[in-house]
Amino acid sequence: MNNADSILSGCTGGGCGAKFGPGVLGTVLKGLPAFEDERLLVGFDASDDAAVYRLDGGRCMISTVDFFSPMVDDPRVFGRIAAANALSDIYAMGGTPAVALNLVCFPERLPVSVLGEVLEGGAEKIREAGAVVGGGHSIYDRELKYGLAVTGFADTDKVLRNNTPRVGHSVILTKPLGVGIIMAANRAGQASAEAVDKALESMQRLNLYASEKLPGYGVSACTDVTGFGLLAHLLEVCGETASVELDADALPIIPEAYGYADEYLLTAAGQRNREHFADSGDVSRLPFALQELLFDPQTSGGLLVCADAEQADALLRDIKRDDPQAAVIGRIVPRREHAVLFRG
């Protein structure tokens, strides 16, 4: 593919790093009118992963949408990553995806065969998830953007929320941090092929395999780690009533990402996440590279799971069968001065 055909050409940002920062988004959402409907069990008031609408017979519908511009120049790989990322919200809320609709913004300068590759990559992941593609919508745009609207289902009493952790529960992260920094280094021509392969493998892996292990382990809260970075997502988990003691030494990290962060190969989204977190914890005693990994925007990141401490080790063993870098990274404690506390 020559430069004119590059799907990265003209893109100012890619993946979840292209999203609004959490502070700006929160300000906008506060100004929107609230919708009152007894069947709407989860809306946008808690910054949860998806909307949940109660159906009859103890079942509910989970609805989400996610799309972004590319972070990799391979159209099929981009399609897989975007689809895995869109599906993740359903898994984070304890649901099973059923039907997906493609969302496409496509530049006229690119061959239409590129679009075919993107859609085929997305379809591969939808098929792996056991769901179906039912259609979609497309428009022309200066940048390529792709994602999906996904609908899933769950038993109403088994829906997981992002802000209901129980004190004493262990916190598990199912995928390693660092994909945003690695892809930033790649765009600067500084990343090794091995590092990029690790990041791409992680972003393409469905959270299906971690989510299907959760039932029966006393999970009190769950979310997925995406563009806001680990720390901002932990703020969502803690809400106003809890804090988390984070074991910095236990964090799963793609090793090369630490070195790239130390060389200041960073992302603008990471800096927005740092600003948002400023009043919620003190990272100053941590090494600079580790700080950046905590703020690093993750595209198709792992699940952040709060589970009964007595069962956490058994749950972790189950999760590691498919997500070998998963780790217990902390525990939920009563609310302290800061939402996130560091040990280790």
Side-chain angles (χ1 to χ4, degrees):
M1 183 179 292
N2 59 42
N3 288 337
D5 292 344
S6 169
I7 65 173
L8 291 176
S9 178
C11 290
T12 55
C16 288
K19 294 184 177 182
F20 277 101
V24 173
L25 187 59
T27 299
V28 172
L29 292 179
K30 285 179 182 178
L32 294 179
F35 287 82
E36 299 295 334
D37 186 327
E38 64 179 13
R39 288 179 174 266
L40 183 63
L41 305 182
V42 180
F44 57 77
D45 53 303
S47 301
D48 219 323
D49 294 296
V52 179
Y53 193 82
R54 181 168 53 83
L55 305 173
D56 296 327
R59 295 282 286 171
C60 63
M61 176 180 70
I62 304 175
S63 181
T64 187
V65 60
D66 214 320
F67 68 99
F68 44 58
S69 46
M71 77 303 295
V72 60
D73 215 14
D74 185 317
R76 187 179 290 263
V77 171
F78 170 51
R80 292 172 187 152
I81 292 170
N85 183 73
L87 288 161
S88 187
D89 288 341
I90 304 293
Y91 295 132
M93 300 200 73
T96 300
V99 62
L101 302 175
N102 288 315
L103 299 170
V104 176
C105 300
F106 195 71
E108 291 184 84
R109 64 176 175 81
L110 291 176
V112 71
S113 59
V114 169
L115 177 57
E117 287 284 308
V118 172
L119 296 179
E120 287 175 19
E124 289 176 13
K125 287 297 167 178
I126 297 300
R127 190 176 297 111
E128 182 181 344
V132 297
V133 176
H137 185 65
S138 59
I139 62 171
Y140 284 116
D141 196 356
R142 293 182 179 179
E143 292 183 359
L144 171 62
K145 302 177 185 73
Y146 172 64
L148 302 106
V150 186
T151 299
F153 298 95
D155 291 338
T156 303
D157 60 358
K158 294 180 181 178
V159 170
L160 299 175
R161 297 293 302 267
N162 70 343
N163 61 352
T164 54
R166 293 181 194 149
V167 170
H169 275 207
S170 296
V171 181
I172 296 172
L173 178 61
T174 66
K175 286 187 184 182
L177 302 173
V179 298
I181 287 172
I182 288 175
M183 298 316 294
N186 186 51
R187 291 194 70 166
Q190 301 296 311
S192 70
E194 183 179 4
V196 173
D197 285 346
K198 291 176 183 176
L200 295 180
E201 189 278 330
S202 179
M203 290 188 286
Q204 292 176 80
R205 189 164 69 253
L206 294 182
N207 279 323
L208 160 68
Y209 307 105
S211 70
E212 64 186 6
K213 313 294 195 316
L214 303 185
Y217 282 105
V219 172
S220 60
C222 184
T223 189
D224 60 336
V225 182
T226 56
F228 295 167
L230 176 65
L231 292 188
H233 285 289
L234 281 171
L235 295 184
E236 293 175 352
V237 169
C238 291
E240 301 295 328
T241 62
S243 292
V244 59
E245 286 185 346
L246 194 64
D247 185 352
D249 292 336
L251 291 170
I253 295 168
I254 300 176
E256 293 88 343
Y258 196 100
Y260 300 148
D262 229 11
E263 296 169 5
Y264 293 88
L265 292 165
L266 312 176
T267 67
Q271 305 323 297
R272 292 194 295 269
N273 293 340
R274 179 186 282 272
E275 292 170 8
H276 177 71
F277 181 79
D279 297 328
S280 302
D282 181 8
V283 299
S284 62
R285 288 180 293 176
L286 301 176
F288 173 77
L290 183 56
Q291 294 178 34
E292 288 301 319
L293 285 159
L294 292 170
F295 298 120
D296 186 38
Q298 303 302 287
T299 299
S300 188
L303 297 182
L304 195 58
V305 182
C306 300
D308 188 307
E310 294 183 358
Q311 302 181 70
D313 287 343
L315 172 57
L316 182 63
R317 285 195 296 272
D318 269 359
I319 291 174
K320 285 171 74 75
R321 293 203 305 267
D322 296 291
D323 294 270
Q325 290 183 275
V328 173
I329 64 170
R331 68 186 182 99
I332 301 296
V333 297
R335 185 68 178 194
R336 309 276 177 82
E337 178 183 359
H338 290 127
V340 181
L341 313 164
F342 297 95
R343 55 186 170 92

